[in-house]
Amino acid sequence: MRRYREETLAFLHDFALPFDNNPAERDLHMRKVRQKVSGGFRSQAGAEALCRIRGELASARKQGHNVLFALQQAFLAQPLNLAPTPE
C-alpha cells in the first residue's frame, strides 16, 4: 500500500471515485449466490445462459439503459446494441 498510497486513497480526495474497485466481482456475485442456494446448475448450458443474461443486463445498466426496456427488446428479437463505443 505504501507504493500505491495516492492511488489507493484517491477516493478520499475525489468523492466521484468509488471507494472500491470491484464492479466485475459484483457482477459475478449473483451467479455464485444462485450456485450456492441451488447446489449448482443442472447443466453447463443453464449456467452459460444465466451468465449471458446477467452480463447483458449488467451492460445495459452500466450504459444507462432501462433494464426492463432492454429485456422487452430482447424478447421482441430487437436487442439493444450494447457494444462498447470507441473513445
Side-chain angles (χ1 to χ4, degrees), residues 48-65:
E48 289 172 5
L50 178 69
C51 289
R52 184 170 187 149
I53 292 167
R54 297 280 308 168
E56 292 291 323
L57 294 178
S59 294
R61 186 174 47 254
K62 288 176 185 176
Q63 293 181 21
H65 297 288

Side-chain angles (χ1 to χ4, degrees), residues 8-79:
T8 303
L9 300 176
F11 71 93
L12 294 174
H13 305 286
D14 184 354
F15 296 122
L17 295 174
F19 67 92
D20 63 356
N21 190 22
N22 65 351
E25 288 182 23
R26 272 186 252 127
D27 289 343
L28 292 173
H29 179 73
M30 197 62 207
R31 182 182 72 86
K32 291 303 289 178
V33 169
R34 164 94 188 244
Q35 185 179 17
K36 286 178 184 179
V37 168
S38 65
F41 294 95
R42 292 181 188 255
S43 69
Q44 181 67 28
E48 289 172 5
L50 178 69
C51 289
R52 184 170 187 149
I53 292 167
R54 297 280 308 168
E56 292 291 323
L57 294 178
S59 294
R61 186 174 47 254
K62 288 176 185 176
Q63 293 181 21
H65 297 288
N66 180 301
V67 175
L68 291 176
F69 179 72
L71 279 171
Q72 179 184 26
Q73 293 303 106
F75 283 117
L76 294 173
Q78 300 171 353

